[in-house]
Amino acid sequence: MRIGIVGAAGGVGRRLARKLTDHGDEVTGFFRRIEQEEVVVASGAKPVRYDLVADGPEVLASALRGHDAVVFAAGAHGTGADQTSLIDGKGVESAIVAADSAMVPRMILISAMPESGRGREISESFEHYLTVKKEADQTLASSGLDWVIVRPGRLTDDDGNGRVRSGLAVPYGQIQRDDVAAFILEILHEPRLTRHIVEVVDGPSTVHEAVDTLVGLYGTPHL
Ligand SMILES: NC(=O)c1ccc[n+]([C@@H]2O[C@H](COP(=O)([O-])OP(=O)(O)OC[C@H]3O[C@@H](n4cnc5c(N)ncnc54)[C@H](OP(=O)(O)O)[C@@H]3O)[C@@H](O)[C@H]2O)c1
């Protein structure tokens, strides 16, 4: 498959790019800063510099033509409310417009679980982050694309163990970025899972079993 990753130098993005290229997929890795190019190259992806805020969707569309799917793995990572609106919000809108106009049929969006931050004092900017994430989910869910929204728990950089708990709603927890990447790889290769929001945290099932169960319960059989 040909997959584009927006945010390919990020924590989940670079791990996903590596796993996909190891799997034999052709990956285009979109990154923002020139110093990130070597991270993308090291993952085996073809590096393409693209800024979700400065460059228009038509720039992304022209680089995405011919791809089977695009994964949105970018994020403002706590750089302020304005950046959150521009990247996690408007950036997703741009990627949807780009995928649509490039006739890339499928988009996987990394979102966040609604419980994120609960149980501690939430700053105004974190509250804003959750609002923007939900709005981006709504925008993608009402688009004409074939989409899957993945809501992981709190992300860690620990080594992955290939084991997760996933469903339409699961208890909040943490998950290794490596396992989120493995989960998205599996979803990219499972066309029967479409137009669903799925939550994922660390858990007892292999990634393959978890996605198989989702397909058994909610998959579109004729695909
Ligand atoms: N942290 C958590 O616990 C958590 C939990 C659930 C969901 N999430 C979500 O999961 C996703 C992946 O998280 P992560 O921690 O792997 O992300 P990350 O390491 O922060 O990577 C995000 C990537 O997006 C890039 N980016 C930012 N602005 C951009 C722009 N204007 N144009 C192009 N690229 C841009 C960043 O580049 P720069 O380095 O140049 O900014 C970075 O490479 C994010 O959407 C995040 O909100 C996070």
Side-chain angles (χ1 to χ4, degrees):
M1 290 180 81
R2 284 189 78 194
I3 314 287
I5 303 176
V6 179
V12 174
R14 74 179 71 165
R15 290 169 171 85
L16 176 61
R18 173 85 272 163
K19 286 184 193 299
L20 286 167
T21 56
D22 285 351
H23 182 265
D25 295 305
E26 200 183 314
V27 179
T28 304
F30 297 93
F31 66 100
R32 169 158 71 167
R33 288 177 288 120
I34 191 67
E35 59 270 30
Q36 295 167 328
E37 182 163 5
E38 59 189 78
V39 172
V40 178
V41 170
S43 72
K46 176 183 160 206
V48 174
R49 200 156 169 215
Y50 176 72
D51 188 324
L52 277 163
V53 178
D55 304 322
E58 62 286 348
V59 178
L60 183 59
S62 73
L64 274 180
R65 234 168 277 285
H67 286 66
D68 299 296
V70 58
V71 179
F72 192 97
H77 55 93
T79 50
D82 289 353
Q83 289 302 306
T84 299
S85 296
L86 288 171
I87 298 160
D88 302 77
K90 291 207 177 313
V92 174
E93 287 175 27
S94 280
I96 293 168
V97 169
D100 207 31
S101 88
M103 290 190 288
V104 175
R106 187 159 160 92
M107 179 180 289
I108 312 297
L109 171 64
I110 307 180
S111 183
M113 288 176 74
E115 296 93 337
S116 310
R118 273 177 93 182
R120 63 184 167 90
E121 206 166 312
I122 300 183
S123 66
E124 231 174 85
S125 63
F126 196 77
E127 186 68 45
H128 178 71
Y129 164 78
L130 288 177
T131 302
V132 169
K133 286 298 213 197
K134 180 66 188 290
E135 285 170 356
D137 291 358
Q138 286 172 242
T139 307
L140 181 57
S142 58
S143 78
L145 295 173
D146 155 8
W147 54 266
V148 177
I149 294 168
V150 174
R151 290 182 174 164
R154 190 174 66 79
L155 300 177
T156 76
D157 281 335
D158 299 339
D159 289 344
N161 60 10
R163 292 190 172 266
V164 299
R165 178 188 305 276
S166 179
L168 302 190
V170 299
Y172 187 62
Q174 61 180 38
I175 180 167
Q176 299 91 322
R177 285 181 169 81
D178 201 41
D179 289 336
V180 175
F183 185 71
I184 292 175
L185 180 146
E186 200 77 26
I187 287 176
L188 281 165
H189 288 275
E190 185 40 270
R192 289 174 297 174
L193 191 62
T194 179
R195 302 184 76 81
H196 275 93
I197 298 176
V198 294
E199 297 186 342
V200 63
V201 295
D202 194 17
S205 310
T206 66
V207 164
H208 183 73
E209 288 163 354
V211 172
D212 231 33
T213 301
L214 287 171
V215 170
L217 290 170
Y218 315 113
T220 308
H222 60 271
L223 287 175

